[in-house]
Amino acid sequence: MQRVLEKITRQLNAYDEASLMQLWQEYAMRVNEFEPTKRWEEAALALCLIQAVRWKNQLFNYHLATSATPADKPDMPDVPVFFAKRRSEEEPAKTDDAAKHKATRLRFPDKA
């Protein structure tokens, strides 16, 4: 199983993020329209893989920036937030336009 996962990650890492992001909207739409089929499951996994590449690249760029010389650090990016904070740790929501994220977030219905 581990060898299979490593092979998949090597193949995925060979693709560039820009090419994968062009497919993001298509897979997001498929995932948003739930149907209990293998096709939907595969679309959900594909969307997760695209997001994983984006996440990996953001983390890589952050760590690369932190290792830069002090003269190169004024434009260092903020630490990427990948894991949701507990509700008690969340900061109050910002209301100005600059605070809005450019990413599209899929809303899944709450369990009834």
Side-chain angles (χ1 to χ4, degrees), residues 74-86:
D75 295 328
M76 193 170 124
D78 292 335
V79 176
V81 179
F82 298 116
F83 304 104
K85 297 178 182 179
R86 288 186 230 146

Side-chain angles (χ1 to χ4, degrees), residues 20-32 47 50-51 103-106:
L20 290 170
M21 290 307 293
Q22 289 177 352
L23 298 171
W24 190 93
Q25 188 65 39
E26 178 184 337
Y27 284 104
M29 288 179 358
R30 286 186 198 176
V31 170
N32 199 36
L47 182 62
I50 292 169
Q51 287 298 110
T104 303
R105 294 184 184 181
L106 295 179

